[in-house]
Amino acid sequence: MEIWKFLILFFSAFLGGLSIFLVKNDKSQLLKLILSFSGSYLFAITVLHLIPDAYHGSDSHEIGIYILIGFLFQVFLEQFSEGIEHGHIHKHHHGSAFPYGIMISLCLHAFLEGMPLAKDQHNELIFGISLHHIPAAFALASILLQNNIKKFSLLIFLAVFAIMAPLGYWVSLGLSNGSLGGVEAYFNKIMGIVIGIFLHISTTILFESSADHKINKRKMLAVLLGIAIALIGFYAGNTHSH
């Protein structure tokens, strides 16, 4: 992975979490617009890039099964993460207890999100994951503060979360080239699981970030902008490839 890709993935999450110390008033409307943009962008690149790539190969007839597995796996993860992947912030009253379930499930989620980067290393996906991790890290930092986690420890936990996506890329790269046990044959199945996770995350962001599921003009513009940028990248990539 080029260093700039690592830096974008890491610092988007890390700085997104640190911004909890800068926010003195309610920024929920801005957060919802960022979520809408990132959700639509993530959904578009999943449909335009990841799904077609996953269906290349002799095991393409089974990919749909793994997409369903990934979708259901994300449903399971959210029983522990409480929807932080979508930027949801819930009030917690656990004293100084550490939210292990939230931290572990969120790190696992980020690790899996980094795995598709090993296949053709889509720049579009890097930006999609980075945008998505900004509100997720902000929500994580908020939960940690609510649970009276010390600032130094909070920085460590944010760094652990921020490194998960690059780590997922490195592990996935090892799987795809066979250096980690020669399991290249399973790479598309792994991608199918990740696609299912992305579909759940992106559609949940789009449907749950509006009251009564009604989309106002600003949110509609954010959604259309996310899709438009994904389409521009898609056609620009096809032009260069030909």
Side-chain angles (χ1 to χ4, degrees):
M1 177 183 287
E2 293 91 331
I3 187 64
W4 70 268
K5 296 179 180 178
F6 170 84
L7 292 176
I8 288 175
L9 285 170
F10 180 85
F11 282 106
S12 61
F14 189 70
L15 297 179
L18 288 184
S19 65
I20 190 70
F21 298 111
L22 303 177
V23 176
K24 301 300 182 182
N25 57 337
D26 184 21
K27 298 290 185 181
S28 59
Q29 294 303 315
L30 177 61
L31 183 63
K32 287 182 179 179
L33 288 177
I34 295 174
L35 282 168
S36 298
F37 173 81
S38 63
S40 62
Y41 183 80
L42 193 61
F43 177 78
I45 60 177
T46 299
V47 173
L48 294 171
H49 294 286
L50 299 184
I51 292 178
D53 286 350
Y55 276 93
H56 287 161
S58 58
D59 57 353
S60 60
H61 63 286
E62 299 177 345
I63 295 301
I65 296 174
Y66 292 93
I67 292 176
L68 287 174
I69 291 173
F71 191 93
L72 293 174
F73 182 65
Q74 180 59 35
V75 173
F76 173 77
L77 277 183
E78 289 187 10
Q79 306 309 304
F80 304 95
S81 67
E82 303 182 21
I84 285 184
E85 299 94 332
H86 316 139
H88 290 181
I89 303 176
H90 303 279
K91 295 296 181 182
H92 288 250
H93 304 283
H94 302 313
S96 58
F98 184 78
Y100 289 102
I102 291 174
M103 185 69 191
I104 293 172
S105 58
L106 198 60
C107 286
L108 178 58
H109 170 90
F111 177 84
L112 291 172
E113 281 191 326
M115 296 190 77
L117 297 176
K119 190 160 188 175
D120 300 327
Q121 300 185 39
H122 296 304
N123 291 340
E124 299 88 352
L125 186 56
I126 291 175
F127 291 116
I129 293 173
S130 299
L131 283 170
H132 166 54
H133 281 177
I134 292 172
F138 183 89
L140 174 62
S142 175
I143 297 297
L144 293 174
L145 281 179
Q146 289 175 32
N147 285 272
N148 299 318
I149 303 300
K150 295 180 180 179
K151 288 186 178 180
F152 179 77
S153 297
L154 187 148
L155 295 178
I156 298 298
F157 294 128
L158 282 178
V160 170
F161 169 64
I163 200 68
M164 284 295 114
L167 184 62
Y169 162 80
W170 286 320
V171 172
S172 183
L173 185 63
L175 294 175
S176 63
N177 63 27
S179 63
L180 295 178
V183 292
E184 183 178 2
Y186 298 100
F187 191 76
N188 278 359
K189 295 181 176 67
I190 296 172
M191 292 306 99
I193 293 174
V194 175
I195 287 168
I197 292 174
F198 283 156
L199 288 176
H200 184 284
I201 290 294
S202 59
T203 53
T204 302
I205 288 173
L206 293 176
F207 288 116
E208 286 194 356
S209 59
S210 294
D212 302 321
H213 301 291
K214 293 182 179 179
I215 300 179
N216 58 37
K217 291 181 180 179
R218 288 191 299 174
K219 179 178 177 179
M220 180 60 73
L221 287 174
V223 169
L224 292 177
L225 181 61
I227 293 175
I229 292 176
L231 283 170
I232 291 172
F234 174 73
Y235 284 111
N238 283 344
T239 300
H240 290 311
S241 65
H242 292 299

